[in-house]
């Protein structure tokens, strides 16, 4: 009895170890919330595979070269206070929930509480050839690789005269696919001028399974986006299921007519969907395609000392299921930080997580877009302005006005 009491009082004075894995929208917000609000003594560590956070929502611009990677990258050392949150750059390879530790390339990390925010990876949905023959917009490095490829293909064309070098096919007509396609379409004039290519030669095709593009929006708004893209010279194929990707060819089938389609192009981008992290998928944690089912407090019920934020989380309650977005991830990060501030101070915290959906805007180049903001449809320059405001608001939440001035989106210009 005596021995137990001693152990209890010793563990009561021990600093609780809170480990956050993944420094994206969810994990970084959790770390910053704890940095700012936690008054009790705790050992807070953030581990992520790069020493910077990148704005995934801007990757389509990095991939076209309209935004420098320097601007899309925010070093953790600039926003984290090492006296409050320790940052470790490491790639996590295993999560061992039964042993309360995670393994990385650089070592083993024990925890009392774990917050998982390992984000997403592209989902091929079993379509053959996706891994081998397509580019993805899944990270800053992947976006830079795609940028180099497009540049090279356009330059090569002047020697090869191979029309396929100028044909870009985007698989997926959701947010990512449309933002990327539009960004490229608006830059084609300049790219052709630089490479000395006739502007009528490049071909840009966007192909997806849903009946209309941007299925997150209603049909009317999607139509607006579609006509804007068509005006930019983009070929849109909706209602077609992609069956296979071979080198330089996308093979698809029209859902209604069953007609087989073969679209040729030497740059193929896969943006048809995402799933959760393979580290989660390969662990003993309960998960569906790398996403961990969570309760109303974003807790993994099988391992109550594990909380999950962002694209790694899959709500158990149907009312809580929303499309995985940066906005949702950031709000989850804020929530978990609040929960831990209360928990580590010995206070009750019963409020469930609720998502405050402020709106979604899809950019169509730099001066145009469509979206829904506070339940109202927006389009054109107002939408583009709102998109920039959303990005700047995120930067403000990380580092105040200084961060907005350094990294913000101010290149707003009218289309006239
Ligand atoms: C091109 C594109 C455009 C998008 N546009 C929008 C948009 O306009 N609006 C919107 O709301 N959402 C958008 N999204 C979705 C949004 O980006 C994601 O929902 C969001 O990034 C998820 O946040 P997260 O914190 O879960 O993961 P992420 O932001 O992906 O962060 C995951 C973090 O974990 C780290 N990590 C991953 N694996 C490991 C490992 N093994 N070890 C260590 N660290 C690891 C990563 O480096 C990263 O820092 C877009 C997505 C893409 C791809």
């Amino acid at each position: 009895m005596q021995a137990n009491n001693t152990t209890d009082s010793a563990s009561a004075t021990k600093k609780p170890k809170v480990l956050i894995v993944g420094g994206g929208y969810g994990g970084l917000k959790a770390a910053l919330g704890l940095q700012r609000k936690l008054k009790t003594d705790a050992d807070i560590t953030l581990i992520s595979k790069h020493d910077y956070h990148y704005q995934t929502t801007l990757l389509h611009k990095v991939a076209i070269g309209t935004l420098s990677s320097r601007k899309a990258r925010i070093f953790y050392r600039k926003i984290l206070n090492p006296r409050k949150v320790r940052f470790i750059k490491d790639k996590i390879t295993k999560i061992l929930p039964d042993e309360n530790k995670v393994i990385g390339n650089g070592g083993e990390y024990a925890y009392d509480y774990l917050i998982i925010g390992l984000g997403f990876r592209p989902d091929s949905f079993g379509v053959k050839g996706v891994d081998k023959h397509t580019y993805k917009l899944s990270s800053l490095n992947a976006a830079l690789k795609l940028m180099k490829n497009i540049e090279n293909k356009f330059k090569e064309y002047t020697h090869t005269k191979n029309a396929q070098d100028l044909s870009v096919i985007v698989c997926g007509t959701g947010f990512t696919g449309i933002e990327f396609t539009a960004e490229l379409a608006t830059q084609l004039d300049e790219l052709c001028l630089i490479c000395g290519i006739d502007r009528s030669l490049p071909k840009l095709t966007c192909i997806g399974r849903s009946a209309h593009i941007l299925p997150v929006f209603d049909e009317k708004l999607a139509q607006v986006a579609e006509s804007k893209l068509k005006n930019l010279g983009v070929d849109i194929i909706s209602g077609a299921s992609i069956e296979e990707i071979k080198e330089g060819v996308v093979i698809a089938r029209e859902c209604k007519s069953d007609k087989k389609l073969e679209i040729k192009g030497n740059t193929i981008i896969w943006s048809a969907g995402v799933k959760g992290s393979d580290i989660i998928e390969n662990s003993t944690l309960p998960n569906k395609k790398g996403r961990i089912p969570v309760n109303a407090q974003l807790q993994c019920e099988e391992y109550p000392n594990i909380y999950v934020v962002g694209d790694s989380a899959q709500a158990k309650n149907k009312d809580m299921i929303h499309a995985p977005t940066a906005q949702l991830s950031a709000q989850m990060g804020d929530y978990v930080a609040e929960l831990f501030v209360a928990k580590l101070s010995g206070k009750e915290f019963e409020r469930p997580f609720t998502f405050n959906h402020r709106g979604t805007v899809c950019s169509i180049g730099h001066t145009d877009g469509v979206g829904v903001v506070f339940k109202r449809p927006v389009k054109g320059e107002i939408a583009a302005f709102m998109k920039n405001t959303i990005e700047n608001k995120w930067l403000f939440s990380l580092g105040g006005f200084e961060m907005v001035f350094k990294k913000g989106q101010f290149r707003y210009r009218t289309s006239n």
Side-chain angles (χ1 to χ4, degrees):
M1 199 61 181
Q2 186 64 41
N4 269 349
N5 280 345
T6 318
T7 317
D8 282 347
S9 59
S11 62
T13 52
K14 199 185 100 190
K15 274 204 243 175
K17 278 187 184 159
V18 181
L19 185 61
I20 305 166
V21 287
Y25 290 85
L28 183 55
K29 266 323 234 1
L32 281 173
L34 288 169
Q35 170 170 301
R36 286 167 189 160
K37 292 187 187 143
L38 187 68
K39 302 283 178 252
T40 48
D41 220 7
D43 183 347
I44 315 284
T45 305
L46 170 69
I47 302 180
S48 209
K49 64 179 168 186
H50 305 290
D51 57 351
Y52 55 82
H53 162 72
Y54 51 86
Q55 282 168 275
T56 333
T57 54
L58 296 176
L59 289 182
H60 59 287
K61 287 178 186 274
V62 176
I64 304 300
T66 46
L67 180 81
S68 85
S69 57
R70 200 172 43 84
K71 258 196 144 182
R73 189 187 280 154
I74 296 150
F75 287 96
Y76 296 118
R77 62 173 183 271
K78 301 273 181 196
I79 47 180
L80 292 176
N81 176 349
R83 278 177 286 126
K84 297 194 170 177
V85 177
R86 189 156 47 115
F87 173 71
I88 299 173
K89 180 181 165 183
D90 198 358
K91 184 173 178 188
I92 301 302
T93 53
K94 269 187 191 152
I95 302 175
L96 302 174
D98 295 304
E99 296 172 43
N100 286 342
K101 68 180 179 191
V102 300
I103 314 282
N105 285 336
E108 287 188 11
Y109 310 93
Y111 61 81
D112 297 310
Y113 299 102
L114 178 65
I115 301 172
I116 301 178
L118 290 172
F120 64 90
R121 73 199 142 121
D123 192 349
S124 69
F125 300 103
V127 174
K128 214 170 134 193
V130 170
D131 293 342
K132 196 165 173 201
H133 301 300
T134 67
Y135 289 85
K136 285 98 190 162
L137 273 173
S138 50
S139 66
L140 198 58
N141 289 335
L144 288 170
K145 200 170 145 195
L146 175 54
M147 181 184 85
K148 273 266 152 302
N149 170 73
I150 294 175
E151 256 179 40
N152 288 344
K153 285 280 174 291
F154 272 65
K155 282 179 189 159
E156 272 167 28
Y157 172 80
T158 48
H159 305 293
T160 63
K161 300 289 178 219
N162 177 357
Q164 273 190 228
D165 281 340
L166 300 181
S167 170
V168 178
I169 308 164
V170 180
C171 304
T173 49
F175 231 77
T176 308
I178 294 301
E179 285 199 320
F180 172 81
T181 307
E183 195 74 19
L184 177 55
T186 55
Q187 289 308 308
L188 275 181
D189 285 356
E190 211 165 312
L191 200 55
C192 287
L193 199 69
I194 292 168
C195 300
I197 292 167
D198 181 342
R199 176 61 183 87
S200 65
L201 295 177
K203 198 165 171 295
L204 191 42
T205 311
C206 195
I207 175 166
R209 192 182 178 147
S210 49
H212 62 76
I213 67 165
L214 296 172
V216 288
F217 297 138
D218 65 29
E219 205 173 335
K220 212 169 140 197
L221 205 53
Q223 289 285 333
V224 174
E226 185 160 337
S227 65
K228 285 175 188 288
L229 283 162
K230 283 185 174 158
N231 286 342
L232 289 168
V234 178
D235 276 344
I236 294 182
I237 305 171
S238 294
S241 183
I242 296 166
E243 295 186 332
E244 190 179 346
I245 298 186
K246 293 186 180 165
E247 194 176 348
V249 193
V250 173
I251 300 161
R253 197 168 288 278
E254 278 182 0
C255 299
K256 271 190 189 156
S257 66
D258 208 35
K259 190 176 147 202
K260 190 176 171 187
L261 307 171
E262 278 200 13
I263 309 144
K264 292 190 176 154
N266 282 349
T267 303
I268 304 172
I269 294 103
W270 184 259
S271 63
V274 293
K275 57 184 173 179
S277 158
D278 55 337
I279 308 300
I280 295 172
E281 196 164 28
N282 299 331
S283 74
T284 56
L285 286 161
N287 74 88
K288 284 182 200 147
K289 281 193 169 186
R291 289 199 161 118
I292 303 170
V294 289
N295 66 15
Q297 291 206 313
L298 306 183
Q299 183 182 36
C300 168
E301 281 175 348
E302 289 78 355
Y303 295 95
N305 61 340
I306 298 184
Y307 289 77
V308 194
V309 292
D311 289 6
S312 296
Q314 168 93 59
K316 274 188 174 171
N317 182 342
K318 279 206 174 111
D319 303 341
M320 276 177 62
I321 297 178
H322 306 282
T325 59
Q327 188 185 175
L328 175 65
S329 305
Q331 287 185 29
M332 286 175 155
D334 285 338
Y335 171 85
V336 165
E338 266 189 64
L339 181 145
F340 269 88
V341 168
K343 201 180 179 67
L344 298 174
S345 325
K347 291 184 192 145
E348 288 288 313
F349 189 90
E350 284 180 358
R351 181 168 62 82
F353 171 73
T354 47
F355 177 43
N356 177 7
H357 193 192
R358 298 185 187 108
T360 312
V361 181
C362 174
S363 65
I364 298 180
H366 198 69
T367 56
D368 206 347
V370 294
V372 176
V373 177
F374 294 114
K375 298 192 177 144
R376 286 170 171 236
V378 287
K379 49 191 176 193
E381 292 182 353
I382 302 276
F385 177 76
M386 289 312 295
K387 180 82 182 176
N388 286 352
T389 308
I390 293 166
E391 297 302 343
N392 291 343
K393 191 171 168 288
W394 169 247
L395 293 171
F396 184 79
S397 79
L398 300 185
F401 283 117
E402 197 188 333
M403 186 65 76
V404 178
F405 290 136
K406 273 190 190 153
K407 308 268 179 181
Q409 298 285 301
F410 296 112
R411 293 178 307 129
Y412 179 73
R413 50 183 188 258
T414 69
S415 45
N416 306 318

Short mmCIF file of all heavy atoms in Angstrom, two decimals, residues 22-27 47-50 52-54 56-57 59-60 76 90-92 117-120 137-138 175-176 179 279 309-312 324-327 329 361 387 391, ligand 1:
data_model
loop_
_atom_site.label_atom_id
_atom_site.label_comp_id
_atom_site.label_asym_id
_atom_site.label_seq_id
_atom_site.Cartn_x
_atom_site.Cartn_y
_atom_site.Cartn_z
N GLY A 22 3.40 14.76 -36.91
CA GLY A 22 2.86 15.40 -38.11
C GLY A 22 2.60 16.87 -37.86
O GLY A 22 1.77 17.23 -37.05
N GLY A 23 3.36 17.72 -38.58
CA GLY A 23 3.24 19.17 -38.37
C GLY A 23 2.46 19.86 -39.47
O GLY A 23 2.88 20.89 -39.98
N GLY A 24 1.31 19.27 -39.86
CA GLY A 24 0.47 19.91 -40.87
C GLY A 24 -0.57 20.82 -40.21
O GLY A 24 -0.36 21.29 -39.10
N TYR A 25 -1.67 21.02 -40.91
CA TYR A 25 -2.71 21.94 -40.41
C TYR A 25 -3.20 21.53 -39.03
O TYR A 25 -3.38 22.37 -38.15
CB TYR A 25 -3.88 22.00 -41.40
CG TYR A 25 -3.50 22.71 -42.67
CD1 TYR A 25 -2.88 22.03 -43.71
CD2 TYR A 25 -3.72 24.08 -42.81
CE1 TYR A 25 -2.49 22.68 -44.87
CE2 TYR A 25 -3.35 24.74 -43.97
CZ TYR A 25 -2.74 24.03 -44.99
OH TYR A 25 -2.35 24.69 -46.13
N GLY A 26 -3.43 20.22 -38.83
CA GLY A 26 -3.95 19.74 -37.55
C GLY A 26 -2.88 19.71 -36.47
O GLY A 26 -3.03 20.32 -35.41
N GLY A 27 -1.77 19.02 -36.74
CA GLY A 27 -0.72 18.85 -35.73
C GLY A 27 -0.08 20.17 -35.32
O GLY A 27 0.16 20.41 -34.14
N ILE A 47 6.93 16.08 -33.76
CA ILE A 47 7.85 15.41 -34.70
C ILE A 47 7.24 15.48 -36.08
O ILE A 47 6.06 15.17 -36.27
CB ILE A 47 8.06 13.92 -34.33
CG1 ILE A 47 8.61 13.79 -32.91
CG2 ILE A 47 9.00 13.25 -35.32
CD1 ILE A 47 8.84 12.34 -32.47
N SER A 48 8.03 15.92 -37.06
CA SER A 48 7.55 15.92 -38.43
C SER A 48 8.72 15.62 -39.35
O SER A 48 9.88 15.83 -38.98
CB SER A 48 6.91 17.27 -38.77
OG SER A 48 5.90 17.09 -39.74
N LYS A 49 8.40 15.15 -40.57
CA LYS A 49 9.53 14.68 -41.39
C LYS A 49 10.31 15.79 -42.07
O LYS A 49 11.41 15.56 -42.56
CB LYS A 49 9.07 13.61 -42.38
CG LYS A 49 8.09 14.03 -43.42
CD LYS A 49 7.77 12.84 -44.31
CE LYS A 49 6.58 13.14 -45.18
NZ LYS A 49 6.13 12.01 -45.95
N HIS A 50 9.73 16.98 -42.16
CA HIS A 50 10.50 18.13 -42.66
C HIS A 50 10.61 19.14 -41.53
O HIS A 50 9.83 19.08 -40.59
CB HIS A 50 9.79 18.80 -43.83
CG HIS A 50 9.46 17.86 -44.95
ND1 HIS A 50 10.42 17.32 -45.75
CD2 HIS A 50 8.29 17.35 -45.38
CE1 HIS A 50 9.85 16.52 -46.64
NE2 HIS A 50 8.55 16.51 -46.44
N TYR A 52 9.85 22.12 -41.85
CA TYR A 52 8.95 23.22 -42.22
C TYR A 52 7.54 22.68 -42.46
O TYR A 52 7.34 21.52 -42.80
CB TYR A 52 9.45 23.91 -43.49
CG TYR A 52 9.66 22.96 -44.65
CD1 TYR A 52 8.59 22.54 -45.45
CD2 TYR A 52 10.92 22.44 -44.93
CE1 TYR A 52 8.78 21.65 -46.50
CE2 TYR A 52 11.12 21.54 -45.98
CZ TYR A 52 10.04 21.16 -46.76
OH TYR A 52 10.20 20.26 -47.79
N HIS A 53 6.58 23.57 -42.26
CA HIS A 53 5.20 23.29 -42.63
C HIS A 53 4.99 23.85 -44.03
O HIS A 53 5.57 24.89 -44.37
CB HIS A 53 4.27 24.01 -41.63
CG HIS A 53 2.86 24.17 -42.12
ND1 HIS A 53 1.99 23.11 -42.21
CD2 HIS A 53 2.17 25.24 -42.55
CE1 HIS A 53 0.83 23.53 -42.68
NE2 HIS A 53 0.91 24.83 -42.89
N TYR A 54 4.23 23.17 -44.87
CA TYR A 54 3.92 23.75 -46.18
C TYR A 54 2.42 23.84 -46.36
O TYR A 54 1.67 23.01 -45.85
CB TYR A 54 4.56 22.93 -47.32
CG TYR A 54 4.29 21.45 -47.27
CD1 TYR A 54 3.14 20.91 -47.83
CD2 TYR A 54 5.19 20.62 -46.63
CE1 TYR A 54 2.90 19.55 -47.77
CE2 TYR A 54 4.94 19.25 -46.55
CZ TYR A 54 3.80 18.72 -47.12
OH TYR A 54 3.54 17.38 -47.03
N THR A 56 -0.44 23.11 -48.13
CA THR A 56 -0.90 22.18 -49.16
C THR A 56 -1.88 22.88 -50.11
O THR A 56 -1.93 22.56 -51.29
CB THR A 56 -1.65 21.00 -48.49
OG1 THR A 56 -1.15 20.84 -47.19
CG2 THR A 56 -1.50 19.73 -49.26
N THR A 57 -2.63 23.82 -49.55
CA THR A 57 -3.65 24.52 -50.33
C THR A 57 -3.03 25.39 -51.43
O THR A 57 -3.76 25.93 -52.26
CB THR A 57 -4.50 25.40 -49.40
OG1 THR A 57 -3.62 26.24 -48.68
CG2 THR A 57 -5.29 24.56 -48.41
N LEU A 59 -0.20 24.20 -53.20
CA LEU A 59 0.71 23.35 -53.98
C LEU A 59 0.49 23.47 -55.48
O LEU A 59 1.43 23.35 -56.27
CB LEU A 59 0.59 21.89 -53.55
CG LEU A 59 1.16 21.53 -52.17
CD1 LEU A 59 1.02 20.05 -51.90
CD2 LEU A 59 2.63 21.95 -52.06
N HIS A 60 -0.76 23.71 -55.89
CA HIS A 60 -1.02 23.83 -57.34
C HIS A 60 -0.26 25.03 -57.93
O HIS A 60 0.16 25.00 -59.07
CB HIS A 60 -2.52 23.93 -57.62
CG HIS A 60 -3.20 25.09 -56.97
ND1 HIS A 60 -3.44 25.15 -55.61
CD2 HIS A 60 -3.65 26.26 -57.48
CE1 HIS A 60 -4.04 26.30 -55.34
NE2 HIS A 60 -4.18 26.98 -56.45
N TYR A 76 9.42 25.60 -38.85
CA TYR A 76 8.88 25.48 -37.48
C TYR A 76 9.68 26.34 -36.50
O TYR A 76 9.13 26.87 -35.56
CB TYR A 76 8.91 24.01 -37.02
CG TYR A 76 8.01 23.11 -37.84
CD1 TYR A 76 8.54 22.04 -38.57
CD2 TYR A 76 6.64 23.31 -37.89
CE1 TYR A 76 7.72 21.22 -39.33
CE2 TYR A 76 5.82 22.49 -38.64
CZ TYR A 76 6.37 21.44 -39.36
OH TYR A 76 5.55 20.64 -40.11
N ASP A 90 12.07 14.20 -37.89
CA ASP A 90 12.28 12.75 -38.06
C ASP A 90 11.10 12.18 -38.84
O ASP A 90 9.99 12.71 -38.78
CB ASP A 90 12.37 12.05 -36.68
CG ASP A 90 13.00 10.66 -36.79
OD1 ASP A 90 13.33 10.24 -37.91
OD2 ASP A 90 13.14 10.01 -35.74
N LYS A 91 11.38 11.12 -39.55
CA LYS A 91 10.30 10.44 -40.27
C LYS A 91 9.82 9.27 -39.42
O LYS A 91 10.60 8.36 -39.12
CB LYS A 91 10.80 9.96 -41.63
CG LYS A 91 9.69 9.36 -42.44
CD LYS A 91 10.13 9.05 -43.84
CE LYS A 91 8.97 8.39 -44.56
NZ LYS A 91 9.29 7.87 -45.83
N ILE A 92 8.57 9.31 -39.03
CA ILE A 92 8.01 8.22 -38.23
C ILE A 92 7.81 7.00 -39.12
O ILE A 92 7.28 7.11 -40.23
CB ILE A 92 6.65 8.65 -37.60
CG1 ILE A 92 6.82 9.89 -36.72
CG2 ILE A 92 6.02 7.51 -36.81
CD1 ILE A 92 7.81 9.76 -35.60
N GLY A 117 -1.35 13.43 -36.43
CA GLY A 117 -1.80 14.30 -37.53
C GLY A 117 -0.92 14.07 -38.75
O GLY A 117 -0.26 14.99 -39.23
N LEU A 118 -0.91 12.82 -39.22
CA LEU A 118 0.03 12.45 -40.29
C LEU A 118 -0.48 12.72 -41.70
O LEU A 118 0.19 12.40 -42.69
CB LEU A 118 0.44 10.98 -40.15
CG LEU A 118 1.34 10.68 -38.93
CD1 LEU A 118 1.55 9.18 -38.76
CD2 LEU A 118 2.70 11.38 -39.06
N GLY A 119 -1.67 13.30 -41.82
CA GLY A 119 -2.13 13.78 -43.12
C GLY A 119 -2.57 12.70 -44.09
O GLY A 119 -3.00 11.62 -43.70
N PHE A 120 -2.42 13.02 -45.37
CA PHE A 120 -3.00 12.18 -46.43
C PHE A 120 -1.92 11.68 -47.38
O PHE A 120 -0.78 12.13 -47.36
CB PHE A 120 -4.00 13.02 -47.24
CG PHE A 120 -3.33 14.16 -47.95
CD1 PHE A 120 -2.85 13.99 -49.24
CD2 PHE A 120 -3.14 15.39 -47.33
CE1 PHE A 120 -2.19 15.02 -49.89
CE2 PHE A 120 -2.49 16.43 -47.98
CZ PHE A 120 -2.02 16.24 -49.26
N LEU A 137 0.11 15.75 -56.41
CA LEU A 137 0.30 17.04 -55.72
C LEU A 137 0.20 16.79 -54.22
O LEU A 137 -0.65 17.35 -53.54
CB LEU A 137 -0.80 18.00 -56.15
CG LEU A 137 -0.54 18.82 -57.40
CD1 LEU A 137 -1.77 19.59 -57.81
CD2 LEU A 137 0.63 19.77 -57.20
N SER A 138 1.08 15.95 -53.71
CA SER A 138 0.92 15.50 -52.33
C SER A 138 1.89 16.16 -51.36
O SER A 138 1.70 16.06 -50.15
CB SER A 138 1.08 13.99 -52.27
OG SER A 138 2.27 13.63 -52.94
N PHE A 175 -11.46 19.45 -56.17
CA PHE A 175 -10.79 20.70 -55.86
C PHE A 175 -9.35 20.80 -56.39
O PHE A 175 -8.99 21.72 -57.10
CB PHE A 175 -10.74 20.77 -54.34
CG PHE A 175 -11.24 22.04 -53.82
CD1 PHE A 175 -12.59 22.28 -53.77
CD2 PHE A 175 -10.34 23.01 -53.41
CE1 PHE A 175 -13.05 23.48 -53.30
CE2 PHE A 175 -10.80 24.20 -52.94
CZ PHE A 175 -12.15 24.44 -52.88
N THR A 176 -8.56 19.78 -56.02
CA THR A 176 -7.14 19.81 -56.37
C THR A 176 -6.95 19.82 -57.88
O THR A 176 -6.18 20.62 -58.42
CB THR A 176 -6.43 18.59 -55.75
OG1 THR A 176 -6.74 18.55 -54.37
CG2 THR A 176 -4.94 18.64 -55.93
N GLU A 179 -8.16 23.23 -59.43
CA GLU A 179 -7.27 24.37 -59.13
C GLU A 179 -5.97 24.27 -59.93
O GLU A 179 -5.47 25.24 -60.47
CB GLU A 179 -6.96 24.42 -57.62
CG GLU A 179 -8.14 24.94 -56.82
CD GLU A 179 -7.77 25.42 -55.43
OE1 GLU A 179 -6.94 24.78 -54.78
OE2 GLU A 179 -8.31 26.46 -55.01
N ILE A 279 1.60 4.76 -42.37
CA ILE A 279 2.13 4.43 -41.04
C ILE A 279 0.97 3.97 -40.15
O ILE A 279 1.10 3.04 -39.36
CB ILE A 279 2.83 5.67 -40.40
CG1 ILE A 279 3.86 6.28 -41.35
CG2 ILE A 279 3.44 5.33 -39.03
CD1 ILE A 279 4.97 5.35 -41.76
N VAL A 309 -6.07 14.12 -35.32
CA VAL A 309 -6.55 15.36 -35.96
C VAL A 309 -6.33 15.28 -37.48
O VAL A 309 -5.52 14.50 -37.97
CB VAL A 309 -5.81 16.60 -35.39
CG1 VAL A 309 -6.17 16.85 -33.95
CG2 VAL A 309 -4.29 16.47 -35.55
N GLY A 310 -7.07 16.12 -38.19
CA GLY A 310 -6.87 16.27 -39.64
C GLY A 310 -7.29 15.06 -40.44
O GLY A 310 -8.17 14.29 -40.04
N ASP A 311 -6.62 14.87 -41.56
CA ASP A 311 -6.99 13.80 -42.49
C ASP A 311 -6.76 12.40 -41.91
O ASP A 311 -7.21 11.41 -42.47
CB ASP A 311 -6.18 13.94 -43.80
CG ASP A 311 -6.64 15.13 -44.63
OD1 ASP A 311 -7.48 15.90 -44.14
OD2 ASP A 311 -6.16 15.28 -45.76
N SER A 312 -6.02 12.31 -40.79
CA SER A 312 -5.80 11.01 -40.15
C SER A 312 -7.04 10.56 -39.39
O SER A 312 -7.14 9.40 -39.00
CB SER A 312 -4.64 11.09 -39.14
OG SER A 312 -3.45 11.38 -39.79
N PRO A 324 -12.40 15.92 -45.94
CA PRO A 324 -11.14 16.31 -45.28
C PRO A 324 -10.57 17.60 -45.90
O PRO A 324 -10.31 17.64 -47.10
CB PRO A 324 -10.22 15.11 -45.56
CG PRO A 324 -10.81 14.40 -46.72
CD PRO A 324 -12.26 14.73 -46.77
N THR A 325 -10.45 18.60 -45.09
CA THR A 325 -9.92 19.88 -45.59
C THR A 325 -8.94 20.48 -44.57
O THR A 325 -8.92 20.06 -43.41
CB THR A 325 -11.04 20.92 -45.81
OG1 THR A 325 -11.71 21.12 -44.56
CG2 THR A 325 -12.03 20.51 -46.87
N ALA A 326 -8.22 21.48 -45.04
CA ALA A 326 -7.29 22.19 -44.17
C ALA A 326 -8.07 22.90 -43.06
O ALA A 326 -7.65 22.93 -41.90
CB ALA A 326 -6.50 23.19 -45.00
N GLN A 327 -9.22 23.46 -43.45
CA GLN A 327 -10.05 24.18 -42.48
C GLN A 327 -10.50 23.26 -41.33
O GLN A 327 -10.39 23.62 -40.15
CB GLN A 327 -11.28 24.71 -43.24
CG GLN A 327 -12.13 25.63 -42.45
CD GLN A 327 -13.40 26.02 -43.21
OE1 GLN A 327 -14.23 26.69 -42.66
NE2 GLN A 327 -13.56 25.63 -44.43
N SER A 329 -9.08 20.39 -40.48
CA SER A 329 -7.89 19.93 -39.75
C SER A 329 -7.44 20.96 -38.72
O SER A 329 -7.12 20.62 -37.58
CB SER A 329 -6.74 19.66 -40.73
OG SER A 329 -7.15 18.78 -41.72
N VAL A 361 -13.52 27.90 -51.14
CA VAL A 361 -13.33 28.63 -52.41
C VAL A 361 -12.33 27.88 -53.27
O VAL A 361 -11.26 27.47 -52.79
CB VAL A 361 -12.83 30.08 -52.16
CG1 VAL A 361 -12.67 30.82 -53.49
CG2 VAL A 361 -13.79 30.85 -51.26
N LYS A 387 -10.25 33.78 -51.51
CA LYS A 387 -9.25 32.70 -51.44
C LYS A 387 -7.96 33.22 -50.79
O LYS A 387 -7.39 32.59 -49.90
CB LYS A 387 -8.98 32.19 -52.86
CG LYS A 387 -7.99 31.07 -52.94
CD LYS A 387 -8.61 29.74 -52.65
CE LYS A 387 -7.60 28.62 -52.70
NZ LYS A 387 -8.17 27.35 -52.31
N GLU A 391 -6.08 32.17 -47.14
CA GLU A 391 -4.66 31.81 -46.99
C GLU A 391 -3.98 32.74 -45.98
O GLU A 391 -3.20 32.30 -45.13
CB GLU A 391 -3.92 31.90 -48.34
CG GLU A 391 -4.41 30.95 -49.41
CD GLU A 391 -4.35 29.47 -49.02
OE1 GLU A 391 -3.65 29.12 -48.06
OE2 GLU A 391 -5.04 28.67 -49.68
C1 LIG B 1 -3.21 20.36 -53.86
C2 LIG B 1 -4.16 20.41 -52.70
C3 LIG B 1 -4.99 21.51 -52.54
C4 LIG B 1 -5.85 21.59 -51.45
N1 LIG B 1 -6.62 22.71 -51.31
C5 LIG B 1 -7.39 22.85 -50.21
C6 LIG B 1 -8.12 24.05 -50.01
O1 LIG B 1 -8.11 24.97 -50.84
N2 LIG B 1 -8.83 24.17 -48.87
C7 LIG B 1 -8.86 23.18 -47.90
O2 LIG B 1 -9.47 23.38 -46.85
N3 LIG B 1 -8.18 22.03 -48.07
C8 LIG B 1 -7.45 21.82 -49.20
N4 LIG B 1 -6.74 20.66 -49.39
C9 LIG B 1 -6.82 19.59 -48.37
C10 LIG B 1 -5.88 19.91 -47.21
O3 LIG B 1 -4.62 20.26 -47.70
C11 LIG B 1 -5.76 18.73 -46.27
O4 LIG B 1 -7.05 18.37 -45.83
C12 LIG B 1 -4.88 19.11 -45.07
O5 LIG B 1 -3.57 19.36 -45.50
C13 LIG B 1 -4.87 18.02 -44.01
O6 LIG B 1 -4.18 18.49 -42.91
P1 LIG B 1 -3.42 17.48 -41.95
O7 LIG B 1 -2.91 18.25 -40.80
O8 LIG B 1 -4.26 16.30 -41.69
O9 LIG B 1 -2.23 16.92 -42.83
P2 LIG B 1 -1.06 17.69 -43.64
O10 LIG B 1 -1.31 19.14 -43.74
O11 LIG B 1 -0.88 16.89 -44.87
O12 LIG B 1 0.16 17.45 -42.68
C14 LIG B 1 0.69 16.18 -42.41
C15 LIG B 1 2.06 16.40 -41.81
O13 LIG B 1 2.59 15.16 -41.38
C16 LIG B 1 3.91 15.04 -41.85
N5 LIG B 1 4.17 13.63 -42.01
C17 LIG B 1 3.54 12.77 -42.86
N6 LIG B 1 4.05 11.53 -42.72
C18 LIG B 1 5.02 11.62 -41.78
C19 LIG B 1 5.89 10.68 -41.18
N7 LIG B 1 5.89 9.40 -41.55
N8 LIG B 1 6.74 11.11 -40.25
C20 LIG B 1 6.77 12.39 -39.86
N9 LIG B 1 5.95 13.34 -40.39
C21 LIG B 1 5.09 12.95 -41.32
C22 LIG B 1 3.93 15.82 -43.16
O14 LIG B 1 5.23 16.19 -43.53
C23 LIG B 1 3.06 17.01 -42.79
O15 LIG B 1 3.80 18.00 -42.15
C24 LIG B 1 -5.90 20.54 -50.49
C25 LIG B 1 -5.08 19.42 -50.67
C26 LIG B 1 -4.23 19.34 -51.75
C27 LIG B 1 -3.35 18.14 -51.92
#
